[in-house]
Amino acid sequence: MATASCQPILPRFGTGAALACLLALAGCDQARELVDSRTPRERYLDGLYRAGLGDNALARDWLAAGAQALTDPPTVTSPHHEEVSLPTSDPAAIGLRIELRRGQLARFDVGLPGDTATAIFLDVWLAEGARDSAARAVAESKRGERWVAFEPRADGWYIFRAQPELLRGGRFSVSLAVAPTLAFPVSGYGERAIMSRWGAPRDGGRRRHEGIDIFAPRGTPVIAGAGGEVAEVGENELGGLVVWLRDEFGNTQYFAHLLSQRVVEGQVVVQGDTIGLVGNTGNARTTPPHLHFGIYRRGEGAVDPYWFVHRSGKSIPRLAVDTTLLGGFARVRVVSAVARRAPFQRADTLRRLNRADSVRVLGATGGWFRVQLGDGSQGFLAAGSAERISEPERPGTRGTGVVSAP
């Protein structure tokens, strides 16, 4: 039967033969995927066990490397791009920690130019805090895809992990970028026009501002931040002329102090359609024209709309390192150096290193190397502090032997 052929009884093969069996099982795995709720990583691990490799030392090292990538990984900001080189015979994984806000969309991409066969497992984990390990998985890439997009449901710290399958590594790139989920609601303007943020006191402190105020000339078009259906067009004492829009993300967008409304109830709009014009109606009659923009969620009430429209003005720093060191070993060439928790000069210290201490170079971004220390932890070392060596110093010879030879 076809089902029986998917679950052969395997003898104790060597690594090469067992991996060949994994390839034969791949077709069966694809057939199961339609009804299998497990992640691609979980299905891959199950394949290892079915092929008799679950207790193999290499498989255990692979699992340990994946777990290590979730334990206090380096911290980055958006946008982040890193050139990476992982050894094929010594399992490793890359982890990135980043702070995300409600209303943002993060996308994690891996690039392997010219390689369409290697499986790369990408997943996203919620961390308990800025320095804590991963708590639970919240998203993962689909089978065969080398990217994963994630929209957080709550503010917090998240860990993005990338790990190639067993005996596959080499040179590739990872990118992490964060963008707002909504378009800026005043046409032709950006967040510099925001003059009042969420939580600012109102009415002598009797209430707090539940939105953001965006100042622009009277009559400037106000646009839909995302597509949806107009729920209400009306007028009230505080907001003056207002529009409520239920969007495709489950938000209700609120537009207030309008000079005029350009939609009707029940109208379906797409992102960028004109909702109304900037004015100062309602309790804004004594202020310059501006849009009060709010976001409401069913069962929650008002939420901070700033991160729904905030777009970082940062750019990816130019790569300024000797990339021939990637995938190899380096040693500290200065009297002392600091491995940091992020690729920034003022980032927290991970470990202080002395001259001739050796590290493994796994990646590079800007003027920094991602390095792996002897305990498996990863941080960033200023590229000018390192020089190439053919293999690390063994403990007790020179330096402290931060990384010992395989």
Side-chain angles (χ1 to χ4, degrees):
M1 295 176 60
T3 303
S5 66
C6 285
Q7 296 179 335
I9 299 175
L10 297 174
R12 292 185 176 276
F13 292 126
T15 300
L19 286 177
C21 287
L22 277 181
L23 296 177
L25 289 170
C28 298
D29 286 341
Q30 292 174 357
R32 288 195 187 97
E33 188 174 349
L34 294 176
V35 294
D36 195 340
S37 62
R38 295 172 301 170
T39 68
R41 185 185 183 89
E42 290 169 340
R43 289 194 293 271
Y44 177 73
L45 289 173
D46 181 63
L48 290 179
Y49 280 100
R50 289 189 288 118
L53 288 177
D55 294 325
N56 181 280
L58 197 60
R60 291 196 300 270
D61 289 346
W62 189 83
L63 287 170
Q68 181 67 50
L70 299 177
T71 304
D72 198 18
T75 301
V76 299
T77 58
S78 173
H80 178 79
H81 180 86
E82 193 171 337
E83 293 296 320
V84 175
S85 182
L86 299 185
T88 56
S89 59
D90 188 9
I94 293 295
L96 301 171
R97 184 197 304 273
I98 192 169
E99 186 177 17
L100 298 178
R101 305 281 188 165
R102 181 88 171 265
Q104 294 182 320
L105 177 67
R107 176 164 170 142
F108 187 43
D109 286 86
V110 169
L112 284 82
D115 183 345
T116 59
T118 299
I120 299 282
F121 302 101
L122 308 178
D123 46 20
V124 187
W125 293 70
L126 172 65
E128 294 294 342
R131 292 282 295 278
D132 296 321
S133 300
R136 60 183 176 88
V138 293
E140 67 281 325
S141 60
K142 296 180 180 179
R143 182 187 180 99
E145 291 184 344
R146 291 176 177 167
W147 63 273
V148 58
F150 172 66
E151 182 185 346
R153 297 301 179 188
D155 296 353
W157 289 89
Y158 294 85
I159 297 173
F160 289 74
R161 178 177 64 174
Q163 186 173 23
E165 61 183 317
L166 267 174
L167 303 179
R168 297 292 183 95
R171 182 77 173 267
F172 60 96
S173 64
V174 295
S175 299
L176 179 58
V178 179
T181 53
L182 303 181
F184 200 77
V186 177
S187 180
Y189 285 76
E191 58 189 87
R192 288 186 177 182
I194 299 174
M195 298 299 177
S196 180
R197 292 275 301 272
W198 169 271
R202 290 289 189 271
D203 294 338
R206 290 190 298 273
R207 64 183 181 89
R208 304 192 72 81
H209 195 212
E210 294 187 339
I212 55 176
D213 288 342
I214 304 168
F215 286 76
R218 185 184 309 276
T220 303
V222 171
I223 62 175
E229 182 179 343
V230 177
E232 182 181 339
V233 177
E235 185 174 5
N236 61 55
E237 183 178 351
L238 292 179
L241 298 180
V242 301
V243 172
W244 299 80
L245 171 68
R246 294 195 188 98
D247 71 28
E248 58 194 292
F249 297 108
N251 310 307
T252 297
Q253 301 177 37
Y254 176 59
F255 308 86
H257 305 318
L258 299 175
L259 174 65
S260 64
Q261 299 131 317
R262 297 298 177 90
V263 291
V264 297
E265 290 185 15
Q267 181 176 339
V268 175
V269 299
V270 299
Q271 185 182 73
D273 280 354
T274 299
I275 296 296
L277 304 178
V278 170
N280 62 341
T281 56
N283 68 352
R285 287 185 296 272
T286 60
T287 71
H290 67 275
L291 169 71
H292 170 92
F293 180 66
I295 295 288
Y296 292 80
R297 298 283 298 188
R298 180 172 296 178
E300 299 178 56
V303 298
D304 187 355
Y306 176 76
W307 301 102
F308 288 75
V309 299
H310 166 70
R311 188 175 297 276
S312 173
K314 296 180 180 179
S315 58
I316 297 173
R318 181 179 62 86
L319 190 62
V321 304
D322 181 0
T323 57
T324 63
L325 272 68
L326 292 179
F329 293 93
R331 66 184 170 200
V332 176
R333 58 183 292 271
V334 295
V335 174
S336 65
V338 177
R340 299 191 179 275
R341 296 183 180 275
F344 312 107
Q345 197 61 48
R346 295 183 179 180
D348 291 343
T349 297
L350 173 65
R351 181 82 58 81
R352 292 193 176 276
L353 305 176
N354 300 315
R355 187 194 297 273
D357 283 346
S358 54
V359 294
R360 185 165 219 159
V361 181
L362 298 181
T365 179
W368 298 81
F369 285 127
R370 176 192 285 264
V371 296
Q372 184 178 49
L373 306 182
D375 60 0
S377 62
Q378 297 179 19
F380 288 95
L381 180 67
S385 302
E387 64 182 357
R388 183 189 299 108
I389 54 175
S390 57
E391 68 175 25
E393 303 289 346
R394 297 184 182 278
T397 55
R398 291 182 59 196
T400 59
V402 175
V403 172
S404 57

